[in-house]
Amino acid sequence: MKKLLLLLFLFVMLPGISQEQEDLKVGLVLSGGGAKGLAHIGALKVIEEAGIRIDYIGGSSMGAIIGGLYASGYTAHELDSIFHETNFNILIQDNIPRSAKSFYEKEDAEKYAISLPFDDFKIGFPAGLSRGQNIYNLMSQLTMHLGNVDDFEELPIPFFCVAADVETGEEVILDEGSFAQAVSASGAIPSIFSPVSLNGRLLTDGGVANNYPVEELRKRGAEVIIGVDVQDSLVNKDDLRNVFDILAQISNFRTISDMKEKIPKTDIYIKPDISPFSVLSFEKGEAIIDSGRVASLKRKDDLEKLAARQSTGPRNIVIPEMDTLQISTLTLEGNNNYPRSYILGKLRLNYFTDFTFKELNEGINNLSATGNFNRINYRLIPNNDDQLYTLSLQIEESKNKSLLRLGVHYDELYQIGALINFTHKSLLFTNDVTSLDVVVGDQFRYNFDYYIDKGFYWSIGVKSRYNNFDYPVSFDFASENAELQDIGVNRIDIDYRDFTNQFYAETLFKQVFSFGLGAEHKFLKIASETLNNPNPEISDTRLFENSHYYSAFGYLKYDSYDNKYFPSRGVYFDGNFHLYLFSSDFNNDFSEFSIAKGTLGYAFSPINRFSTRIVTEAGFKIGNDGVNTLDFFLGGYGNNLINNFVPFYGYDFISLSGDSYIKGLVEFDYEIFRKNHVIASANIANVGNKLYSSGDWFTMPDFTGYALGYGIDTFIGPLEVKYTYSPEIKSSQWFFSLGFWF
């Protein structure tokens, strides 16, 4: 009887014992391939549907990014959603939102087409087109739930990734430390992303050393391995059309040769058809994901059989949602030249207050926008209290202190200009910037800036500018400023020269909001070669102005536009006040006076690709009526006009003048396709003397103008063509400009 009971017991328990013995450890290896690696998402969907529990994941490059996120707890469908919500153009190009830049940094970033390292007066080249900061930020945000996990074996699914040592070419296995830093290093595609400094080694794309780490996965205990391979195959000679195709072919020699040995080591090998795609085909992401799904469906029977040999199915991992957190402590490493106060000023960090991840990213972007750091690594480490975190910040300061920057521009007023800039950081202080612009071409100009950046504390700056142009203007302009008799001409050529020096201090309330005070010296010289001088021994009637002016000024700026030239959302305000105290008084007509002006703009996008901009401007002079060379002059088109020149559609440059004005502008911008804009504009204005004291500012507009234009946002700046018309003068004007305005 006892033997019978024992036999029955064994019969009942045997299936369970057998199944437990059969419970296979499954490893997943994911290769690199840039955008082609999105096929891994489609493959993971089918693997999940088959019911397979993944026990180990190893990956390289894009395989490390997708595999790492899957190992941290995301499902394949969640990864699909993340892909659809990610703007890969911003992610790859490391575009920093305009709102993250100070006003000095905004001006700096919207002027130059090319920036090159220039240390020791030697031109260098950046280590990559992008520093990869945006990828790191995204990885940090998506894996914040990992907390203080340092060992990747402790992830929901044990994980490792592969990088390559730039110095030795050796394979480097990353399975501990900062998760975001590890996958960023593995995915640092050469020439596109700068190498990542980690543990004293300079690391780049893991695909360079081992793009399919199946052997390492086997060493870690995987009994059955599923592999998804998105590497390129060799192409025939007819498809090798240019140097890039040839270089890609050469770089694939080794990896394709290695796969001959690696494929037999893979139990279930999945090879999506990625031939129509490149490493940067992120815009075709849905098709790439589907290619992974289609290829995996061909092996679904094998996948389901494998799932049946496991005792348990996929892990059910819930990633907690965290809307806000509180930071109690900041640890800082790597700031050898920039003080802690400078870092804190840029971060805008307040301890023990609710802090969103968006606000943290804004602070990181503020630091990144300075250009003083190659990379900013950070981790949020939970304290004993789940609501409090330590922000562990590790920064890598840029070794490039000097830059050579270039730009080009053409417009109707200044004609052709080539911009050469030399910028040097930390000349006198660790957080200062010295910049010299020299414009050579039809009109020589220069602009010098020295700025001590104190973040949100009071910053100090010095500016010096020389500006000149030759342009035919209405005779009224000249006669008003030189008391000329009517000589029967409508227009004369003037030579306008401006030399301005400023000392100022400003503080930022936010990156988009600044207040400043300063002192200014201005030298104005206005002359004409059109006119003859009949009595040169008495006076020079060709010289209208030749005076030095000394003033105190203040300004208030707010700029949340998302784009300087084609804004689709945001608010803009620029108000300034000048009190002119002294003058050398060339025309003997000076007495103290003030000039105030302000611009308020609002941009919004009611529907996709369609934007509306509404702008209103006003300005007036208080005091002396004798000096009119600093009056307001309306007409033409421009984005960086000096003094009180104001663009106005329908009229040529310097066509309308007065000591006060009010102007309104409405623009409708339709982006017909990426970076291509069709813009319809209408502006109205009243311009004259004493508009506000007489009440004439609040009457029907005396001047109107309309414009229809086409603009392209290029890497050298906007290319714009505008046709403008004014019904009052029944005349049209064409305006053409190319490049950033400077």
Side-chain angles (χ1 to χ4, degrees), residues 17 45 88 104 251 633 661 676:
I17 295 172
K45 288 181 179 181
F88 283 92
Y104 181 89
S251 67
F633 299 96
Y661 83 104
N676 284 256

Side-chain angles (χ1 to χ4, degrees), residues 215 269 278:
E215 298 91 348
Y269 178 73
S278 72

